Amino acid sequence: PGPAGDSACLDGRGEPLRVEGRVLATDGRPIEGATCDFWGANGDGLYDIQDESQPAFNNRGVYTTDEEGRYVIMTIRPQFYGLPMDGPVGTLLEATNRRGMRPAHLHFIVSAPGHHPLTTHIFLEGDPYLREDAVFGVRESLVVPLERDADGECWLVRRDWVLAPLPEL
């Protein structure tokens, strides 16, 4: 996708979700031109590389912040999903009495020149698997409220990111 607000959902399947926020420096200044590289599973809990029925790069995109550090991503509301249980991961999870579930989440790599990149993800508040993520990725600071936008037309998540400066040489 290109400009802020273009949808990353290329197949139109799923409930629309707008993710918006700002990218800021540690001193609170907005970072213009920062990139928000994001990806997520579809409404069935599958990534485009797992599901041949999805177009390539479905629910993936790189977005650039404006002069106020703002970004807007249109995608679809991710769903929780189960990990494949037919290989060594399944054997390990079964041996440790764990379910192989991942809560609904979106992945991000946020970067800007002169700053350390941030690789992270956010999880949706209220997901039934937040307390038992198979890969132990959930942190309270990464759980975000999910609400309806003012028009009630799509889901809305707000998340700001703060990037630390690289050391001066």
Side-chain angles (χ1 to χ4, degrees):
D6 280 0
S7 182
C9 180
L10 303 177
D11 62 6
R13 297 187 336 222
E15 297 178 79
L17 170 69
R18 186 172 73 240
V19 181
E20 63 184 31
R22 297 175 75 201
V23 178
L24 306 167
T26 54
D27 64 3
R29 287 181 300 108
I31 301 176
E32 180 179 2
T35 58
C36 296
D37 184 347
F38 101 99
W39 63 100
N42 71 0
D44 296 324
L46 296 171
Y47 294 92
D48 63 324
I49 59 173
Q50 297 173 293
D51 179 5
E52 293 178 5
S53 73
Q54 293 186 55
F57 304 105
N58 194 34
N59 299 313
R60 297 174 181 269
V62 179
Y63 295 81
T64 304
T65 59
D66 67 11
E67 63 280 349
E68 294 297 319
R70 292 179 302 227
Y71 69 91
V72 176
I73 298 169
M74 288 301 299
T75 185
I76 55 106
R77 180 181 174 176
Q79 300 297 314
F80 58 79
Y81 61 85
L83 299 175
M85 298 295 283
D86 57 350
V89 170
T91 302
L92 177 63
L93 290 169
E94 287 173 4
T96 56
N97 234 8
R98 293 187 55 79
R99 294 200 278 182
M101 298 301 293
R102 297 279 345 254
H105 61 279
L106 294 170
H107 300 266
F108 289 86
I109 300 173
V110 184
S111 59
H115 294 81
H116 289 281
L118 173 65
T119 302
T120 189
H121 44 307
I122 56 174
F123 296 89
L124 303 182
E125 187 175 79
D127 188 281
Y129 296 102
L130 284 175
R131 302 281 177 245
E132 51 185 282
D133 183 12
V135 302
F136 305 103
V138 178
R139 303 291 180 273
E140 283 301 316
S141 62
L142 300 175
V143 177
V144 294
L146 179 66
E147 57 192 66
R148 297 300 285 185
D149 74 345
D151 299 329
E153 295 182 10
C154 72
W155 292 101
L156 173 64
V157 164
R158 292 184 176 95
R159 181 62 190 222
D160 291 344
W161 305 106
V162 177
L163 298 182
L166 289 171
E168 291 186 34
L169 301 176

